[in-house]
Amino acid sequence: MALDMLFDRAFAARRYPPGTSCTGKHLNATSFCIDICLSKEVDDVTLERCGELCDCVSWHRGSVDLVIGILGCASFCACLLVLVMDLCKARSTRSPAQCACLRWSNFCNLLYSVYFIGYAVSDAWTPMWDGPCSMQDPRGVSKDLLGGVLCRHASPLCFLNCCIVAVPWLEFWGYASYIWNVMWILDLARFTQQPLAPEKVLGIPLMVYYHLFTWPCAAMIALDPDGSRLITSTCREAKIVMMPCVLRRQTMGGDLPWFQVAGSVVIAMAVAVMAMRYMDVGQLLSNGARSQRRERLLLAVRAYLRKQGLHFFCLSLCSVLIFIDTCRACEDDAGNYITAVAFAGFGLLLSLDRLLTIYKKGRTHQESLLEASPLRRNSESLELGSSGNIPSIPLAPPVPDDGPVSTDFAEYRLLDFSALQEQLIQFLRDEELQLAQQRNLSGGSPEQAEKAQMAVLRASARLDDNPDAQWDWIISSANSETALTVMAPRSFTYLRRLAGLDSQVLLSELLHTNVSDLRVAAKSGSSLLCSQDNRTFVLKTVSRSEVRQVRQMLPEWRKHLEENPKSLLCRIYGCFSFRNSLGYYLYAVLMDCLTGLPDCVTEDLGPARVFDIKSEFQDGGFRRCFPRGLRLEPPVATDLEFLSSLGVIDYSLLLSVWEISSDCPELAQGGLSSGRIIQGEDRKYLVRLGIIDFLVHWDVRKRTESALKRTCLHPRHSERVTITDPVGYAKRQLQFLESVFGRG
């Protein structure tokens, strides 16, 4: 009882009301103002000294708790709902990297809002003293770190008002969320420029780099590089950004938040790139010469960019309000309560576009159910039948679209690829027309004309052996600034004829293949478009370095194919680059489809089992399906020796296997590239195999990737690293293939 009376008298003798904050007028005076002036009992002499050294202001504690409490709860609920959506893998119209950035931002916002809820609840229950950091003992008495009694009946969460807890918490999670949003908009700008570029650098996903940048930066800001934020005296004098004025109740001494300014500049530059793309699409829409499919893609691009506007607007609004709150004088006025919305409501505002998406989807679903209900159809039929005695006619089903339903994100990815396909078709059509005219003018029988033309094509292809005689064919569009560059057209025209490719069939498949079937390769991240018959061609996006490798290896590769007609190297029919209207390039190669049935097989054998084999650690599941191997004995030694001499790596053997019945007709003896029937343990198989992805050179970039993977991923098992020197790569590949294909 005596202890309770002591605490009651101490509370009554307090000179400053709850919610008062004191900051020092001079350097290193803040600790004195908080520890002494805000104590329970202050004598007159000390009080006079506090007036000289400190600025003490009493805040409206109830208003502060109301603002940050309501907005904090709203932000927490919004972030929690978005988190549940992400865990349920709700469909999104953004790229995987963009979704991941916003997912981590939402996670940070969730923890950021937890602080405001805890502070508001604790302060509303019992005033959060601005005194020394305190901890609770079992009796409910608050003690400082030295064990001295500070107050009784304090909130169990009063540690949230400690500088070394509040500042690192809010700075870390707040800035982490901000940086993740900067990463999102940077990735959005990257996607705007090159929508088909793989989300990898040095073979490592972009998200790894985003994590390596975001978390250390947030920790460095929250704790300082030397960790001085964990010292109470230093933390009280620190420059704080992600804490609202109504809680920190002090200014930053006039300094600008330079990190936030730098982030705003990056955001502005990224938005400028997207604005250029949006206006450029508008110019393309104004051109009269375009197909219906092309117009649909252009409209989808504008719709996709518009959908990013709400999140960007909320991010910009929060950034501006935080900047204003940080730079203006920190006083108990309406302005600082308004700017506090950007802090406590950070998660709510940044989740707004996802929440509106849920609402729109639910409303659209209800409208579709209403449209499909029998009552609605009957009422519409009655309305039609009651007008002018016209007999009622049942409503016709909606007309299906010209392709599968896809999101704006998927349509955006197809924009440049669709233009490349259209110009590629036009080029091949003009080339075939010129070759046909040359054959007609040569005279003689068709076989003689074809043989003579083949000799001319061989001679012209040899001109590319001389670097001074190499040339590319640039085809510019008349209605836009796009251009298609055909790499080494003489050599690839000859190589297509050497591979026996029927140009008419190729053109027909290009015309009938829907660009909406574009898919992404699992390992490389490149985009693949297979022909409609799944056997004529594959159009694959490549990097600029791979295009340079094609140019360098072209003479030797052509000679190798002439000397080894049964080579397992996948036939490349052409190499192209497409420049879009923004000036960015898309590179692609046209090559043979090794996953399709050979031309001599006419019946449908069902889907093939495809294995992408690189080594014993990356065999694509081959040994699991065929533990005893297959007796193929493929002649790969010559091809691997050739690739080793070129200095290329990271290639693989693509094996396609079909299970066939005993009455299947035998294949024509056209070499392994056309397929082969082999006898397994209890059944027959049709196999087709070839070497793919042999355009990666052993350069500085790949050496760096190999070193990183040996150091970080497999420090104790370097043999598991795929990337190694060309000689070692070829030797390892040959040893593994001989071990699995020499048995059966």
Side-chain angles (χ1 to χ4, degrees), residues 136 150 166 205 228 302 392 438 455 472 513 523 548 552 633:
Q136 288 285 82
L150 297 176
S228 58
R302 304 199 83 181
S392 60
Q438 292 176 4
D472 299 329
T513 300
K523 293 183 179 180
R548 289 197 299 266
Q552 294 175 2
E633 299 179 1

Side-chain angles (χ1 to χ4, degrees), residues 63-181:
S63 301
V64 173
D65 296 340
L66 186 65
V67 170
I68 67 173
I70 293 177
L71 291 174
C73 290
S75 297
F76 179 82
C77 294
C79 294
L80 188 62
L81 180 58
V82 173
L83 179 62
V84 172
M85 291 175 54
D86 291 334
L87 294 177
C88 295
K89 297 181 179 180
R91 187 176 182 182
S92 176
T93 59
R94 294 185 170 102
S95 67
Q98 296 168 29
C99 291
C101 289
L102 295 183
R103 188 180 305 118
W104 281 105
S105 171
N106 180 75
F107 174 75
C108 296
N109 289 331
L110 183 70
L111 297 180
Y112 186 66
S113 61
V114 166
Y115 178 87
F116 296 106
I117 299 175
Y119 182 93
V121 172
S122 179
D123 194 53
W125 177 21
T126 302
M128 299 275 283
W129 308 113
D130 291 334
C133 292
S134 57
M135 299 295 291
Q136 288 285 82
D137 67 4
R139 297 179 302 167
V141 178
S142 181
K143 298 182 178 181
D144 62 11
L145 298 181
L146 299 178
V149 178
L150 297 176
C151 61
R152 194 177 184 185
H153 307 302
S155 169
L157 301 177
C158 61
F159 68 91
L160 291 176
N161 203 35
C162 298
C163 181
I164 58 174
V165 175
V167 173
W169 185 328
L170 293 179
E171 291 280 89
F172 181 80
W173 296 115
Y175 257 119
S177 173
Y178 181 77
I179 297 173
W180 274 120
N181 280 274

Side-chain angles (χ1 to χ4, degrees), residues 103-316:
R103 188 180 305 118
W104 281 105
S105 171
N106 180 75
F107 174 75
C108 296
N109 289 331
L110 183 70
L111 297 180
Y112 186 66
S113 61
V114 166
Y115 178 87
F116 296 106
I117 299 175
Y119 182 93
V121 172
S122 179
D123 194 53
W125 177 21
T126 302
M128 299 275 283
W129 308 113
D130 291 334
C133 292
S134 57
M135 299 295 291
Q136 288 285 82
D137 67 4
R139 297 179 302 167
V141 178
S142 181
K143 298 182 178 181
D144 62 11
L145 298 181
L146 299 178
V149 178
L150 297 176
C151 61
R152 194 177 184 185
H153 307 302
S155 169
L157 301 177
C158 61
F159 68 91
L160 291 176
N161 203 35
C162 298
C163 181
I164 58 174
V165 175
V167 173
W169 185 328
L170 293 179
E171 291 280 89
F172 181 80
W173 296 115
Y175 257 119
S177 173
Y178 181 77
I179 297 173
W180 274 120
N181 280 274
V182 173
M183 295 296 103
W184 163 75
I185 204 165
L186 277 177
D187 195 85
L188 181 59
R190 176 199 64 84
F191 177 76
T192 301
Q193 298 171 2
Q194 296 177 317
L196 289 176
E199 295 183 345
K200 290 184 177 181
V201 175
L202 295 177
I204 301 175
L206 287 174
M207 284 305 301
V208 175
Y209 297 99
Y210 294 162
H211 280 286
L212 292 177
F213 178 81
T214 300
W215 300 117
C217 283
M220 183 178 63
I221 295 172
L223 307 176
D224 281 344
D226 56 353
S228 58
R229 283 281 178 91
L230 298 179
I231 302 175
T232 302
S233 58
T234 305
C235 178
R236 288 171 175 172
E237 301 289 345
K239 298 177 175 62
I240 308 170
V241 176
M242 295 305 296
M243 178 183 288
C245 168
V246 296
L247 291 187
R248 74 173 188 272
R249 301 170 186 177
Q250 61 181 354
T251 63
M252 289 186 61
D255 291 342
L256 293 175
W258 293 111
F259 192 87
Q260 191 174 3
V261 172
S264 301
V265 172
V266 172
I267 292 175
M269 295 174 61
V271 171
V273 173
M274 292 183 288
M276 291 173 56
R277 184 64 158 175
Y278 189 86
M279 293 185 294
D280 170 71
V281 171
Q283 294 177 358
L284 295 177
L285 280 170
S286 62
N287 296 331
R290 63 179 182 276
S291 62
Q292 183 179 2
R293 174 65 179 171
R294 182 70 170 167
E295 183 175 0
R296 174 183 172 181
L297 291 176
L298 293 173
L299 292 174
V301 169
R302 304 199 83 181
Y304 176 79
L305 292 176
R306 282 196 301 269
K307 288 183 178 180
Q308 315 305 317
L310 179 59
H311 190 86
F312 166 72
F313 172 77
C314 295
L315 178 62
S316 302

Side-chain angles (χ1 to χ4, degrees), residues 421-438:
Q421 184 187 22
E422 292 177 1
Q423 295 198 20
L424 176 59
I425 291 173
Q426 186 62 38
F427 160 72
L428 293 175
R429 183 180 293 160
D430 294 342
E431 181 190 63
E432 184 60 25
L433 181 61
Q434 294 177 3
L435 293 176
Q437 292 176 351
Q438 292 176 4

Side-chain angles (χ1 to χ4, degrees), residues 424-591:
L424 176 59
I425 291 173
Q426 186 62 38
F427 160 72
L428 293 175
R429 183 180 293 160
D430 294 342
E431 181 190 63
E432 184 60 25
L433 181 61
Q434 294 177 3
L435 293 176
Q437 292 176 351
Q438 292 176 4
R439 288 194 298 269
N440 295 334
L441 294 176
S442 62
S445 63
E447 293 78 7
Q448 293 176 346
E450 184 70 26
K451 186 176 180 180
Q453 188 177 65
M454 189 66 178
V456 173
L457 293 176
R458 183 186 298 110
S460 62
R462 291 175 180 174
L463 295 176
D464 289 333
D465 296 349
N466 184 4
D468 297 332
Q470 293 178 354
W471 62 280
D472 299 329
W473 195 347
I474 301 177
I475 306 172
S476 301
S477 177
N479 298 324
S480 64
E481 298 178 356
T482 62
L484 175 71
T485 301
V486 182
M487 306 290 182
R490 297 174 299 196
S491 292
F492 282 110
T493 301
Y494 168 67
L495 289 173
R496 286 195 292 272
R497 293 296 187 274
L498 183 64
L501 179 64
D502 191 334
S503 300
Q504 296 295 335
V505 175
L506 175 62
L507 272 173
S508 176
E509 288 299 324
L510 278 170
L511 285 169
H512 291 89
T513 300
N514 193 345
V515 72
S516 298
D517 297 332
L518 191 71
R519 59 184 178 87
V520 179
K523 293 183 179 180
S524 64
S526 301
S527 298
L528 304 174
L529 179 65
C530 295
S531 58
Q532 188 178 25
D533 63 356
N534 198 29
R535 66 171 69 187
T536 302
F537 71 86
V538 171
L539 190 58
K540 176 186 177 183
T541 60
V542 293
S543 63
R544 186 176 181 179
S545 60
E546 290 176 298
V547 173
R548 289 197 299 266
Q549 181 62 32
V550 170
R551 169 68 77 183
Q552 294 175 2
M553 65 180 286
L554 190 56
E556 291 81 4
W557 186 54
R558 190 188 67 250
K559 295 176 183 178
H560 178 77
L561 294 181
E562 290 176 343
E563 297 173 357
N564 302 273
K566 295 185 179 181
S567 171
L568 292 182
L569 295 178
C570 180
R571 303 307 193 260
I572 298 179
Y573 301 143
C575 183
F576 313 93
S577 68
F578 175 77
R579 186 191 67 200
N580 63 20
S581 51
L582 289 180
Y584 297 99
Y585 286 86
L586 171 66
Y587 303 97
V589 292
L590 186 70
M591 59 186 187

